[in-house]
């Protein structure tokens, strides 16, 4: 097995794609003409967005993320050499500030924001072996 992609179910796929481009500098790989599904370039594993309607169409029962509710017990981690700059860019683009950058005991710098749908996004430096 290998991880192919991670899908976040969101209220508005095109708006979420635009947000991730502005807030995190990611590039869209694909946005379906229906506006119901998209993928972002993130390396070997794609970050994808699907409409909340697709979750229902797939017969799934899920709790959708909402900015005013507690974040779900999952996060998207984006690795960057400059966490402070990434954090500032994300907040300027409308991300909710959750935790400013902090140095961890193992040497990694980590910050947290919430995207426009309330998804927790970790911004972190690479972990050195």
């Amino acid at each position: 097995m290998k991880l192919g992609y991670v899908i976040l179910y969101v209220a508005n796929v095109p708006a979420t794609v635009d947000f991730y481009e502005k807030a995190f500098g990611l590039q869209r790989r694909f946005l379906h003409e229906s506006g119901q599904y998209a993928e972002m370039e993130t390396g070997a594993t794609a970050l994808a967005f699907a409409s909340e309607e697709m979750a229902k169409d797939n017969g799934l029962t899920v709790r959708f993320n909402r900015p005013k509710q507690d974040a779900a017990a999952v996060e998207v981690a984006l690795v960057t050499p400059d966490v402070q700059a990434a954090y500032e860019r994300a907040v300027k683009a409308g991300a909710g500030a959750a935790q400013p950058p902090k140095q961890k005991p193992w040497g990694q710098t980590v910050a947290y924001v919430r995207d426009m749908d309330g998804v927790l996004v970790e911004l972190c430096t690479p972990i050195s072996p």
Side-chain angles (χ1 to χ4, degrees), residues 48-129:
F49 305 112
S51 69
E52 293 177 353
E53 292 79 24
M54 284 186 73
K56 294 173 187 171
D57 291 345
N58 290 335
L60 303 175
T61 302
V62 299
R63 181 184 65 78
F64 297 119
N65 289 287
R66 296 292 184 256
K68 294 187 190 283
Q69 296 176 354
D70 289 343
V74 65
E75 65 184 54
V76 173
L78 299 175
V79 180
T80 177
D82 191 344
V83 173
Q84 183 66 45
Y87 180 80
E88 290 170 6
R89 175 184 180 156
V91 171
K92 184 177 179 182
Q99 291 286 328
K102 292 181 183 173
Q103 185 81 20
K104 297 295 185 177
W106 52 89
Q108 187 181 35
T109 302
V110 177
Y112 295 93
V113 297
R114 294 198 49 202
D115 76 7
M116 62 183 278
D117 292 292
V119 174
L120 191 61
V121 178
E122 176 184 335
L123 305 170
C124 60
T125 55
I127 296 177
S128 299

Side-chain angles (χ1 to χ4, degrees), residues 7-87:
I7 300 174
L8 302 177
Y9 289 100
V10 299
N12 183 318
V13 173
T16 302
V17 167
D18 289 343
F19 175 81
Y20 271 72
E21 288 174 331
K22 290 177 186 137
F24 307 114
L26 298 181
Q27 294 180 340
R28 72 183 72 193
R29 174 186 292 175
F30 170 77
L31 174 59
H32 189 267
E33 63 188 31
S34 68
Q36 300 297 301
Y37 182 81
E39 293 179 0
M40 306 301 287
E41 291 290 349
T42 58
T45 302
L47 176 61
F49 305 112
S51 69
E52 293 177 353
E53 292 79 24
M54 284 186 73
K56 294 173 187 171
D57 291 345
N58 290 335
L60 303 175
T61 302
V62 299
R63 181 184 65 78
F64 297 119
N65 289 287
R66 296 292 184 256
K68 294 187 190 283
Q69 296 176 354
D70 289 343
V74 65
E75 65 184 54
V76 173
L78 299 175
V79 180
T80 177
D82 191 344
V83 173
Q84 183 66 45
Y87 180 80

